[in-house]
Amino acid sequence: MTSHAGRGVHGQIVETLGSRIAGGEPASGGTLDLRLLSQELDVSLTVIRESLKVLAGKGLVAARQKRGTFVRPRAEWNMLDADVVRWRLAGGQGDALLRDFAELRAIVEPAAVRCAAERRTDADLAALEERLAVMGTAEADAAAADSAFHSALLTASGNEMLARLHQLMEPVLRARDAIVHTPHGSADDPVPSHRAVLDAIRERDPEQASIAMADLLAKAATDFDRAVRSRSTSGAGGAATSTASAGT
């Protein structure tokens, strides 16, 4: 899930090609002409080949004798890769992504906080308190603070695979928060709903932690829908539109 954004010329070419492919250029099954790409992007064939190796690792492309390098079917892409998530968002696929994200969170996070209530350590509680305190400050980056809190929640589950899921969730969560935490969004104070989850984890109450998380996700959905409606009314644009449960 390592991101290659901003890593010199190689990283720029990975970004360019990854964004194009995620945006449907070329379409699934389409062949990539490496020499033409080298000329167009003004880089060596070596850079093109090395960049395509990165994209192959993400499931976007493959190479075969006599066929060359081609775009693989979307069903074979690594949709859990942070770069693929980001490229899809940038390519205007926000609705589908946020819908899938909402369903993922509804499945994962209530279960994760149940585990956290049973396994949390003092260090986990301290990390959650610290992130909640940042969330409550006026100067906080709301999207970053929310992301950091939810990352700490997954870590507190004591399950290393769940903790790693945040690398997938972060870019989508930030995209969602960028819509909600704006003058158009006018989201309610997020601290009380997050505090309820933390308090249940502190009390080692898995059932209440799960209920509190479900309530938090329901509030997030309301905030998101309000933000989308406000953006539509004001004429503001955005990658994501009004998918009913997208903001959870």
Side-chain angles (χ1 to χ4, degrees), residues 30 45 60 98 102 116 145 235:
L45 274 172
L60 271 64
L98 289 171

Side-chain angles (χ1 to χ4, degrees), residues 168-210:
L168 159 68
M169 295 171 65
E170 181 178 23
V172 192
L173 184 61
R174 281 178 172 268
R176 174 259 174 201
D177 284 347
I179 295 171
V180 171
H181 298 290
T182 65
H184 296 296
S186 302
D188 295 334
D189 181 3
V191 172
S193 57
H194 288 73
R195 166 61 68 186
V197 175
L198 173 52
D199 287 346
I201 290 173
R202 183 184 299 281
E203 295 301 318
R204 297 190 183 278
D205 188 337
E207 186 64 29
Q208 186 55 42
S210 181

Side-chain angles (χ1 to χ4, degrees), residues 137-162:
T137 61
E139 64 274 14
D141 177 334
D146 191 41
S147 177
F149 184 88
H150 285 272
S151 176
L153 277 179
L154 293 178
T155 298
S157 72
N159 184 308
E160 291 181 342
M161 290 187 179
L162 283 175

